[in-house]
Amino acid sequence: MTEQHEEHAQQFERGTDGPKVILVGVDGSESSMRAAAYAGGLARRQHALLAVVYVQPVLAAGAALGAPVMETTDEIADDLVAQIRDAAERVRGIFEVRWEFHTFRGDPYAGLVTAAEELKADAVVVGASEQAGHRIIGSVAVRLVKAGRWPVTVVP
């Protein structure tokens, strides 16, 4: 191999033989759980790893008021893991999907971007926003699409 070819072979490359890592963002909402089911089907068919990501919000205002923010977001993450494990157990033997659960901290957009970069995601799946205010400031899904760094699927 030439030096240039060896260097290129060691670099990360997306989209060569189908996705290796499909990232799905979950937050407990109905649309995010539908996104997880959809992403699970994609991962199964593509023989890809399903990276399930929950972004723990950093709520400085709540912490300043003495609210147990960290404990609450940890409980949400634990509940999401339990729901995903239950769903995986129900289809064990019928459908096999390799999956991992990850938590990141920050706002949802920045957390998903960090997760996609660190996990070397080939595709990102998110649920459509269920909040009315996102029509004005933009949803996480729209921001991910506009970033143009990964194929993004938005599940209603």
Side-chain angles (χ1 to χ4, degrees):
M1 268 199 234
T2 66
E3 243 180 79
Q4 185 180 22
H5 187 262
E6 285 178 18
E7 181 181 318
H8 181 68
Q10 294 175 353
Q11 293 177 347
F12 175 70
E13 183 177 355
R14 287 191 177 103
T16 53
D17 294 323
K20 300 290 183 226
V21 177
I22 297 172
L23 183 145
V24 61
V26 296
D27 61 7
S29 67
E30 288 290 323
S31 66
S32 79
M33 298 313 274
R34 284 191 299 269
Y38 181 84
L42 287 177
R44 179 183 57 81
R45 289 186 296 277
Q46 297 290 330
H47 305 288
L49 173 67
L50 176 63
V52 181
V53 175
Y54 169 61
V55 179
Q56 289 182 308
V58 178
L59 303 172
L65 297 173
V69 174
M70 188 69 158
E71 289 175 21
T72 302
T73 58
D74 285 345
E75 288 173 13
I76 293 169
D78 291 343
D79 184 53
L80 290 170
V81 170
Q83 288 180 46
I84 294 163
R85 281 198 177 112
D86 288 346
E89 193 58 39
R90 284 193 302 269
V91 297
R92 184 177 305 279
I94 302 168
F95 300 118
E96 295 298 325
V97 176
R98 293 179 305 122
W99 64 277
E100 300 174 347
F101 185 83
H102 301 270
T103 58
F104 287 80
R105 292 182 51 86
D107 72 272
Y109 171 76
L112 289 174
V113 167
T114 299
E117 289 173 349
E118 287 185 17
L119 301 172
K120 295 183 170 47
D122 296 298
V124 177
V125 180
V126 292
S129 175
E130 296 178 350
Q131 297 179 354
H134 287 164
R135 294 175 195 257
I136 299 166
I137 59 172
S139 69
V140 172
V142 169
R143 292 173 66 192
L144 288 167
V145 169
K146 285 183 177 180
R149 297 167 66 185
W150 309 272
V152 177
T153 302
V154 182
V155 177

